[in-house]
Amino acid sequence: TRRALALLTSTGERAVPGGEETERYKLRVFDDSSFAELASAHLLPDEAGLSILVSGLGEEEAAEGAAGSSVGGLGGGGGGGYIVVGTAHILPDEPEPTSGRILVFELQEGSLELRHEAAVRGAVYSLAELSSGLLLAGVNNKLQLFEWEAGAPRLALRAEHCGHILVLYVQARADFILVGDLMKSITLLQWSAGELTELARDVNANWMTAVAFLDDDTFLGAENALNLFAARKRADAPTEEERGRLEV
């Protein structure tokens, strides 16, 4: 079984010598032992790769990734796992991206095959797997949940949660979801009965750079002033208002 690394890279390109340099993004897959390049795929010229995830999408055991991801069981005749990439179309007249794509690739015999692309209304800043076949995507100010329909194959939008500034970071643990926002700190959600429900949030203003679960009730955040903080769910608080606030 071959193991590999999936990375998003960018290089500066000029259409003509001496012309304006533009960034061109590429998905690249390397052997994790020799670092030989196994396959690559260019994104569109106006497209930036922002997030990456390695997942079985319900078809096999999944492994989660961030800026770089480990891909197990790729190559050979059996394939194994999908590489999901979140992108944004960068247009000069837009202060914030208004469109992007979620791309689902599969590595087969030394080439990356695009199995599906889903157009979204914004930049896909983050990706995470909730459970088998369920994909979370931070798209501008929304957290969206997609289901992978292997027979089609396609990603079908099942639910979304609004009320954020920018959903930059997403982590999942069982049916709990942790969202790290550009300015609105941490929000805890739960996927239950076909809906994304907000359980609690940190009411402080923090510009997040990372989030993580410590356990089901305790969460870790990092913010842009180079500080770490822990937050706790107050499930035993006497009022609903108090239960809706994370204790920092």
Side-chain angles (χ1 to χ4, degrees):
T1 299
R2 169 179 287 170
R3 294 188 61 84
L5 300 171
L7 303 172
L8 286 169
T9 64
S10 66
T11 55
E13 294 184 353
R14 288 184 171 89
V16 295
E20 184 178 353
E21 187 175 87
T22 59
E23 267 192 306
R24 188 72 188 274
Y25 284 79
K26 181 190 288 189
L27 171 62
R28 306 173 73 182
V29 179
F30 297 89
D31 185 278
D32 76 336
S33 298
S34 66
F35 296 105
E37 185 169 311
L38 304 176
S40 66
H42 272 292
L43 303 185
L44 297 176
D46 68 348
E47 195 171 32
L50 303 179
S51 52
I52 185 170
L53 174 78
V54 175
S55 170
L57 293 177
E59 296 181 24
E60 60 181 50
E61 183 177 351
E64 188 174 324
S69 303
S70 175
V71 185
L74 294 180
Y82 296 98
I83 304 170
V84 186
V85 175
T87 78
H89 294 292
I90 308 300
L91 304 178
D93 58 342
E94 290 185 350
E96 288 291 336
T98 60
S99 63
R101 296 190 296 168
I102 301 175
L103 308 173
V104 181
F105 291 93
E106 187 174 13
L107 181 62
Q108 289 288 345
E109 299 297 336
S111 65
L112 282 166
E113 303 291 336
L114 181 61
R115 296 303 185 199
H116 176 67
E117 61 177 280
V120 294
R121 295 181 177 179
V124 187
Y125 290 109
S126 53
L127 292 166
E129 187 171 27
L130 181 61
S131 60
S132 294
L134 296 180
L135 181 72
L136 295 164
V139 182
N140 279 14
N141 66 333
K142 297 179 180 179
L143 177 70
Q144 297 188 324
L145 185 144
F146 295 86
E147 183 176 7
W148 177 247
E149 297 180 348
R154 72 186 186 104
L155 288 168
L157 181 63
R158 296 300 184 215
E160 62 182 22
H161 184 270
C162 306
H164 308 276
I165 304 298
L166 288 178
V167 179
L168 297 183
Y169 308 99
V170 178
Q171 293 286 318
R173 179 185 174 102
D175 57 354
F176 295 110
I177 303 152
L178 200 59
V179 172
D181 191 82
L182 173 69
M183 297 172 59
K184 296 174 73 173
S185 196
I186 290 176
T187 302
L188 178 66
L189 307 173
Q190 185 176 24
W191 169 247
S192 178
E195 294 184 352
L196 290 170
T197 303
E198 182 176 320
L199 298 180
R201 66 169 58 236
D202 176 18
V203 297
N204 298 299
N206 286 311
W207 295 58
M208 301 306 296
T209 57
V211 296
F213 281 91
L214 295 180
D215 56 39
D216 286 347
D217 299 320
T218 313
F219 323 105
L220 187 66
E223 42 92 343
N224 70 333
L226 307 181
N227 296 311
L228 291 173
F229 65 92
R232 185 178 68 87
K233 184 170 63 175
R234 305 172 65 189
D236 55 350
T239 68
E240 184 176 349
E241 180 181 357
E242 290 176 299
R243 289 192 295 272
R245 295 186 178 188
L246 295 173
E247 180 183 4
V248 178

